[in-house]
Amino acid sequence: FYMKGKWFVKAINGSTFVESMTLHPYLRDSEGRAPKRYTSSSARKIRGIEPMDPKCRLTREVCVFRLGESDRRFCVLGPLPLGEGEVEEGLEGRPGKKEHVPD
């Protein structure tokens, strides 16, 4: 569900698993394009949620979820917030662009 500019997942009738997009290299959007990939320093890539657990916030990296023991994954792409320590893949080693000052 969507609340105050953020997306959340809440388990209702059974377990729900929220997963990192780094576990799914063949992830595609509705037009068949690969989305921007994000990664974090967190070692936890799958989180299980039970009905008595609080809601789980979706971030740019943790945007894939599955219901119960299903093989089908659902992905929420769009203006999700960055989580703690998340960076776009391929940019973590590069320094920021510096402005060129003419002499």
PDB file of all heavy atoms in Angstrom, residues 29 31 96:
ATOM      1  N   ASP A  29      11.073  -4.256 -16.980  1.00  0.00           N
ATOM      2  CA  ASP A  29       9.847  -3.488 -16.770  1.00  0.00           C
ATOM      3  C   ASP A  29       8.803  -3.891 -17.809  1.00  0.00           C
ATOM      4  O   ASP A  29       9.002  -4.829 -18.579  1.00  0.00           O
ATOM      5  CB  ASP A  29      10.133  -1.978 -16.780  1.00  0.00           C
ATOM      6  CG  ASP A  29      10.645  -1.478 -18.117  1.00  0.00           C
ATOM      7  OD1 ASP A  29      10.721  -2.267 -19.077  1.00  0.00           O
ATOM      8  OD2 ASP A  29      10.976  -0.289 -18.198  1.00  0.00           O
ATOM      9  N   GLU A  31       7.934  -2.557 -20.569  1.00  0.00           N
ATOM     10  CA  GLU A  31       8.378  -2.413 -21.963  1.00  0.00           C
ATOM     11  C   GLU A  31       9.540  -3.340 -22.317  1.00  0.00           C
ATOM     12  O   GLU A  31      10.062  -3.280 -23.419  1.00  0.00           O
ATOM     13  CB  GLU A  31       8.804  -0.960 -22.242  1.00  0.00           C
ATOM     14  CG  GLU A  31       7.632  -0.013 -22.419  1.00  0.00           C
ATOM     15  CD  GLU A  31       7.286   0.685 -21.125  1.00  0.00           C
ATOM     16  OE1 GLU A  31       8.206   0.947 -20.332  1.00  0.00           O
ATOM     17  OE2 GLU A  31       6.111   0.957 -20.909  1.00  0.00           O
ATOM     18  N   GLY A  96      32.316  11.801  -7.732  1.00  0.00           N
ATOM     19  CA  GLY A  96      31.350  12.684  -8.369  1.00  0.00           C
ATOM     20  C   GLY A  96      32.015  13.552  -9.422  1.00  0.00           C
ATOM     21  O   GLY A  96      33.220  13.794  -9.398  1.00  0.00           O
TER      22      GLY A  96
END
